[in-house]
Amino acid sequence: TRIPKLGKTQKKHNKMCGIVGYIGTKDATPILLKGLKRLEYRGYDSAGLAIINPANNPANNSANKLAVYKTRGKVADLARYVQGKDTAGTLGIAHTRWATHGEPSDINAHPHYSQSGQLALIHNGIIENYPVLKETLLREGFPFQSDTDTEVLVQWIEYMRTTRNTDLFHAVQLALTQVVGAYAIAVIQQDDQDIMVAARKSSPLLIGIGEGEYFLASDASPVIEYTKKVVYLNDQEVVCLRRDREPEFYNLQQVEKDHRIIELELTLSQLEKGGYPHFMLKEIFQQPHTLRECMRGRVNVDNNSVTLSGILDNRERFLKARRIIIVACGTSWHAGLLGKYMIETFARVPVEVEYASEFRYRNPVLFADDIVVAISQSGETA
C-alpha cells in the first residue's frame, strides 16, 4: 500500500526534536531540564519530561509513580510548570517537539504514555505506517488522546508487551520490527525504576557513559558537561540501560552487538551560546570561521585548485551530466537555490531544486545521466 503524502507541517522542516535521558544516582529533573536547554538551538514548539518517582518516596504510598509533565511553549515554560510538583527520581526522559503529526499542544507534546499508564516514550522521527498500526490498536480497544504517530508507537510497544507476555526490552524489539519509518526513542516503565530502553533508525542517538550513571541524548550537547565518553547507536540497534550494569546493545533480531566508546573532543563552550543572546546570532557571527574550517585542506590557493572528494570520485558523471537535481528541506533548500544559481551560471548545466519531503513520495522523471545531490543541514532530513 502506498503511504499517503505527509501533511503540510511535515514538509517545512527536518523534525529536529531533542531527546535527553538520565539514569543514575543524581536527581534527574535538573539534568533533564538543563539538557533540554542545551538543545534549544534545534527549534521546537513544546517540551516535556517523565520521571519515575521511586517507591521509597512516602508521598507515593510505597509504589513507583510515573509522572509525566508536558506543555506547549519553551523549556522555561516547562520548568515553571513543574515547580512545586513531585519530580523526585533518578530515572527520567525529556523531549522538545517540533510538530509533525498534530498541532503544537499540551496533549500532542512528548512524552506519550500507554493506556495502562505503565509506559512513557519520547520519539524523534516519523512513523510512516502509523495509520495501519493505529487501526489494529483501535480494534483491540486501545484509546488515543493525541493526534501523534508517537502515541501509536508507545501503545504498540504496550500491545507487544502484554500480548507476547514479555519484558520491556524485548517488547521494544518486537514492536520495532513492524515499524516503517525513522525513529530515535527512549522508553521507561512505571514498575521498574532501574531500566531505560532506547533505539534508533535514521535519527541520531548517543549514550553518555558516566561514573555509575548513563545519559541519553540526540546529540552531545546535553552530555558533554558530565562525561566525554559516548557510544553512538547504529541503525536498528536497541540498548538496554540498567542501573549498576553495563549497557546491553542488540539489533532487532536479538543479536548482541559490540559497541565502541568514543572520546568527545568538543568543549562545553563550543556548544553553548558563547555570550550571544541566542543561537542564530552566534551562528551568523561564526560564519567566517566556519567557512575557513570547512574549506581547510580543500582549497589550495597556491596551486589554484579545489579538492572535493565527492566531485572527484564522480568526475566523469558530472562532466556528462544532463541535469543536476538538488533535493533538500528548509535551510538546505535555500542553499540549494543558491547552488542552482552558481552551477547554472558557471557550469551551464541545468539544475532543479526539489523539496525532499515531496521528492520522496512522488514519481519523478529521472534519466541515467542525471545527478541527484541530497543536502541535509541537520543530518536528520528523511
Side-chain angles (χ1 to χ4, degrees):
T1 305
R2 188 171 177 79
I3 301 294
K5 289 209 312 191
L6 305 179
K8 288 183 179 178
T9 52
Q10 288 126 286
K11 298 173 187 174
K12 295 179 182 176
H13 53 76
N14 302 336
K15 191 165 186 189
M16 287 179 59
C17 306
I19 280 179
V20 186
Y22 177 77
I23 177 171
T25 56
K26 301 184 181 76
D27 189 8
T29 299
I31 294 172
L32 297 176
L33 290 173
K34 185 182 287 187
L36 292 184
K37 289 289 290 181
R38 294 249 162 83
L39 292 171
E40 284 193 301
Y41 72 90
R42 289 171 166 250
Y44 63 101
D45 54 58
S46 55
L49 60 85
I51 296 285
I52 294 184
N53 299 137
N56 58 8
N57 186 340
N60 293 335
N61 300 317
S62 300
N64 287 346
K65 184 177 78 173
L66 178 58
V68 176
Y69 305 107
K70 53 185 184 175
T71 182
R72 179 177 179 176
K74 298 300 181 182
V75 174
D77 298 316
L78 176 65
R80 284 191 292 270
Y81 180 62
V82 301
Q83 280 183 352
K85 293 183 170 61
D86 188 1
T87 59
T90 57
L91 168 66
I93 53 178
H95 189 268
T96 52
R97 175 184 188 247
W98 198 348
T100 55
H101 299 78
E103 66 180 7
S105 67
D106 294 355
I107 290 176
N108 288 333
H110 296 212
H112 288 281
Y113 42 87
S114 60
Q115 66 163 349
S116 67
Q118 278 284 313
L119 306 185
L121 177 145
I122 52 179
H123 164 226
N124 291 356
I126 292 173
I127 306 303
E128 295 188 14
N129 66 332
Y130 84 96
V132 178
L133 302 178
K134 187 172 185 177
E135 188 177 316
T136 300
L137 292 168
L138 286 170
R139 286 199 303 268
E140 294 293 327
F142 280 74
F144 287 88
Q145 306 298 321
S146 75
D147 304 315
T148 66
D149 56 335
T150 301
E151 188 185 5
V152 175
L153 181 55
V154 70
Q155 300 275 43
W156 191 251
I157 293 171
E158 171 95 315
Y159 179 60
M160 289 293 111
R161 192 172 73 119
T162 54
T163 58
R164 305 294 179 88
N165 192 27
T166 188
D167 59 21
L168 177 62
F169 183 65
H170 290 100
V172 171
Q173 285 181 309
L174 288 168
L176 292 179
T177 60
Q178 300 175 58
V179 164
V180 177
Y183 54 79
I185 64 170
V187 196
I188 58 176
Q189 66 179 21
Q190 176 174 291
D191 57 12
D192 193 342
Q193 60 171 321
D194 297 319
I195 183 174
M196 179 188 302
V197 177
R200 68 149 290 196
K201 179 187 176 187
S202 303
S203 192
L205 198 62
L206 63 86
I207 311 299
I209 312 288
E211 294 293 329
E213 58 188 0
Y214 297 111
F215 304 85
L216 183 74
S218 41
D219 69 37
S221 55
V223 171
I224 194 73
E225 178 179 349
Y226 308 100
T227 180
K228 291 196 171 185
K229 295 180 179 179
V230 301
V231 175
Y232 286 89
L233 265 69
N234 295 314
D235 254 8
Q236 301 189 64
E237 281 188 352
V238 186
V239 59
C240 186
L241 299 176
R242 294 184 187 274
R243 205 180 297 274
D244 302 323
R245 286 173 58 176
E246 291 288 316
E248 301 170 31
F249 295 84
Y250 287 80
N251 64 17
L252 298 185
Q253 289 70 46
Q254 302 186 24
V255 176
E256 190 168 7
K257 308 296 288 185
D258 293 329
H259 61 279
R260 183 166 65 95
I261 296 177
I262 296 172
E263 193 86 15
L264 292 174
E265 296 181 1
L266 290 168
T267 63
L268 191 57
S269 61
Q270 289 176 292
L271 298 171
E272 294 186 325
K273 295 177 185 176
Y276 295 99
H278 46 75
F279 283 107
M280 181 178 284
L281 264 184
K282 180 186 178 186
E283 290 182 5
I284 289 170
F285 281 97
Q286 280 185 337
Q287 282 182 11
H289 171 76
T290 302
L291 284 170
R292 281 195 298 272
E293 290 296 302
C294 182
M295 293 295 116
R296 188 188 302 275
R298 304 176 195 272
V299 176
N300 189 325
V301 178
D302 295 334
N303 294 336
N304 195 29
S305 66
V306 178
T307 303
L308 298 171
S309 59
I311 304 295
L312 294 178
D313 291 347
N314 298 280
R315 184 175 185 275
E316 293 305 314
R317 293 199 62 194
F318 273 101
L319 289 173
K320 297 174 182 177
R322 174 195 305 212
R323 178 180 58 162
I324 295 173
I325 301 171
I326 296 175
V327 178
C329 286
T331 303
S332 304
W333 184 79
H334 287 96
L337 291 176
L338 181 60
K340 170 184 170 70
Y341 176 83
M342 297 177 72
I343 293 168
E344 290 186 342
T345 300
F346 297 116
R348 308 307 295 163
V349 177
V351 179
E352 296 178 13
V353 183
E354 296 253 13
Y355 276 113
S357 53
E358 292 287 347
F359 191 76
R360 187 180 190 190
Y361 291 98
R362 68 183 190 83
N363 187 21
V365 178
L366 296 174
F367 301 98
D369 49 359
D370 285 341
I371 289 178
V372 176
V373 178
I375 311 175
S376 174
Q377 170 263 332
S378 69
E380 295 184 37
T381 304

